[in-house]
Amino acid sequence: MSDKQLMVLSVLEDIRFSIELIIKRFVHIKSSDDFLVDEDGLEKLDSISMRLVAIGEGFKNIDKLTEGHLLADYATISWKGVKGVRDILSHHYFDLDAEIIFSICDEHLADLLHVTKEMIAKKKM
């Protein structure tokens, strides 16, 4: 395995860890209001948002390392959206929308985790 492939695999493992951590932190969040109701909710919103930034950055790096080839093989994921969330959260953090973060966690993370695990399995072959 080349250095570049090892780097991609390492980033994928970091992304998998972050997605699983978000899912764990999100388990008791039933609506976007749960993020805003108390200090614990705000901490979860902040920590989940930072992990989403890391995930988006990781996939941006993978896209560069693989010259756009790896992500293109997994068209079921909106990679523009994954990387775009990173940009929005990084550059417009004070415009953070709890409803959008809730929607991402509730509707998209399971699929992203599944695809990430597929990528890892194929890279380890």
Side-chain angles (χ1 to χ4, degrees):
M1 191 176 287
S2 73
D3 287 345
K4 195 180 279 190
Q5 289 173 319
L6 285 172
M7 196 179 304
V8 169
L9 183 58
S10 176
V11 173
L12 285 169
E13 291 285 3
D14 291 341
I15 289 169
R16 180 200 49 79
F17 176 80
S18 287
I19 296 170
E20 289 173 345
L21 192 57
I22 291 172
I23 290 169
K24 185 176 170 181
R25 291 176 178 168
F26 185 72
V27 75
H28 296 294
I29 303 293
K30 303 303 178 203
S31 76
S32 61
D33 292 338
D34 291 342
F35 282 132
L36 307 173
V37 73
D38 59 20
E39 189 68 26
D40 185 53
L42 286 171
E43 283 183 23
K44 285 183 178 162
L45 179 62
D46 286 342
S47 67
I48 287 171
S49 297
M50 290 309 298
R51 289 289 173 169
L52 290 173
V53 169
I55 291 165
E57 185 67 26
F59 279 119
K60 275 186 160 190
N61 291 335
I62 287 170
D63 211 25
K64 287 178 190 171
L65 287 168
T66 64
E67 299 172 357
H69 296 289
L70 181 61
L71 301 186
D73 291 341
Y74 298 90
T76 60
I77 300 294
S78 169
W79 297 113
K80 184 177 179 182
V82 171
K83 294 182 284 183
V85 166
R86 175 255 176 236
D87 293 340
I88 291 167
L89 290 174
S90 294
H91 301 290
H92 304 283
Y93 191 79
F94 291 112
D95 296 329
L96 181 62
D97 187 328
E99 288 182 28
I100 292 172
I101 301 303
F102 179 84
S103 174
I104 290 167
C105 294
D106 192 48
E107 299 170 20
H108 303 289
L109 276 187
D111 290 339
L112 188 59
L113 179 59
H114 176 76
V115 167
T116 302
K117 286 180 175 181
E118 276 185 34
M119 290 177 174
I120 291 168
K122 284 187 179 180
K123 286 290 176 191
K124 287 184 174 181
M125 293 178 139

